[in-house]
Amino acid sequence: ITDENRCAELRKDEHVHWTPVFWATIYGHAECIRVLHELGADIKTGTCDDSGVIGMTPMHYAASQGQAYCIRVLHELGVDILHNSQRYWGYRPLHFAASTGHPECIRVLGTLGADKHVDEATLNRGMSAVHISSWFGHAECIRALHALGADITKKDTVLGHSALHMAAGWGHTECIRVLLALGADINATTNNGYTAVNMAAAHGRAESIRILHFLGADISKNSPIVDAIDKGSMECIHTLVRLGTV
């Protein structure tokens, strides 16, 4: 690439507004990232919509796509591993790795310094990476975050949900088991007094109710059958009745 046409070659495409650095990152071509950087490509700036809101940077994409080596290369070239995405809920790279299920990226980010910020929350929902892994059902990510020192019992800063509430509400039974094995409080309550059993009932997750009961949850606390009735979940209603909640 000559000096004359370098800027044209490195600019964003006309469809998704990605530069070659984004494409190289998504497909895991770390050495291409190095070459593009040497040629003057911007490896730090995120995508930008018409209103000027910054979205995901190449580092965010590396974490979300499971490109652990690209994370290392971008960091080596000076890219911040703690940058918040303005468009996507204030996620940092660690949050993206947690949401898309890439424990190896979590471990790499931890070695690069993200472990010191493992419990920091997203900007709009106040959720930690453990909340996000539990929401999307990534049990191995929960284990990886715990190994970095994450607080399994931490509640979000908006509604007071614990990671266990998220796992129960979305029906991720393996996450429920992992969280409890790692020390989650099975009877923890939200700001409005909801337990994980309440969350399961309110979202029609009968299997979550059964697992929580088997592992020692108080299924009568805060009347989860009312939530099951409000949801119209006959399976949850029958499950709670059989388990003795009324």
Side-chain angles (χ1 to χ4, degrees):
I1 300 176
T2 66
D3 289 339
E4 185 179 64
N5 65 10
R6 178 179 296 167
C7 291
E9 293 293 333
L10 299 180
R11 70 188 176 188
K12 298 176 181 178
D13 68 51
E14 296 178 357
H15 300 290
V16 293
H17 307 295
W18 288 347
T19 65
V21 174
F22 284 90
W23 290 107
T25 301
I26 287 168
Y27 287 102
H29 301 312
E31 295 311 310
C32 291
I33 295 172
R34 292 186 193 277
V35 171
L36 289 164
H37 179 254
E38 291 171 2
L39 294 173
D42 181 358
I43 62 171
K44 298 181 180 181
T45 303
T47 54
C48 186
D49 63 19
D50 293 337
S51 66
V53 175
I54 302 297
M56 293 170 68
T57 66
M59 181 66 83
H60 291 132
Y61 276 106
S64 70
Q65 298 298 312
Q67 303 295 354
Y69 186 54
C70 289
I71 290 173
R72 291 189 183 278
V73 169
L74 288 165
H75 179 263
E76 176 189 323
L77 296 174
V79 180
D80 183 9
I81 62 165
L82 300 176
H83 180 74
N84 293 104
S85 169
Q86 294 176 10
R87 184 185 302 159
Y88 297 100
W89 313 288
Y91 275 22
R92 290 178 170 177
L94 190 69
H95 297 124
F96 280 110
S99 71
T100 50
H102 297 297
E104 181 58 28
C105 289
I106 289 172
R107 287 188 280 269
V108 168
L109 288 163
T111 65
L112 298 176
D115 59 320
K116 299 179 180 64
H117 306 270
V118 69
D119 286 327
E120 291 188 7
T122 57
L123 297 180
N124 68 334
R125 286 287 304 275
M127 295 188 297
S128 70
V130 174
H131 286 102
I132 294 167
S133 290
S134 302
W135 180 12
F136 288 100
H138 301 308
E140 286 306 312
C141 289
I142 295 171
R143 290 190 178 97
L145 290 161
H146 180 261
L148 295 182
D151 181 359
I152 297 298
T153 65
K154 185 179 177 67
K155 297 181 180 182
D156 75 51
T157 58
V158 177
L159 300 173
H161 289 157
S162 69
L164 187 63
H165 288 96
M166 306 299 291
W170 289 96
H172 301 308
T173 54
E174 181 59 23
C175 291
I176 291 172
R177 293 181 186 277
V178 169
L179 287 164
L180 291 172
L182 295 176
D185 180 356
I186 199 168
N187 292 314
T189 57
T190 64
N191 295 347
N192 65 358
Y194 260 36
T195 65
V197 176
N198 286 117
M199 289 292 291
H203 290 84
R205 310 293 185 180
E207 186 60 24
S208 291
I209 294 172
R210 286 190 282 268
I211 292 293
L212 288 163
H213 175 261
F214 176 76
L215 295 174
D218 180 356
I219 62 167
S220 63
K221 189 174 183 178
N222 204 34
S223 303
I225 198 164
V226 174
D227 301 297
I229 293 168
D230 287 344
K231 174 66 177 177
S233 174
M234 293 306 299
E235 185 180 6
C236 287
I237 293 169
H238 290 155
T239 296
L240 288 163
V241 170
R242 285 196 300 271
L243 294 177
T245 191
V246 292

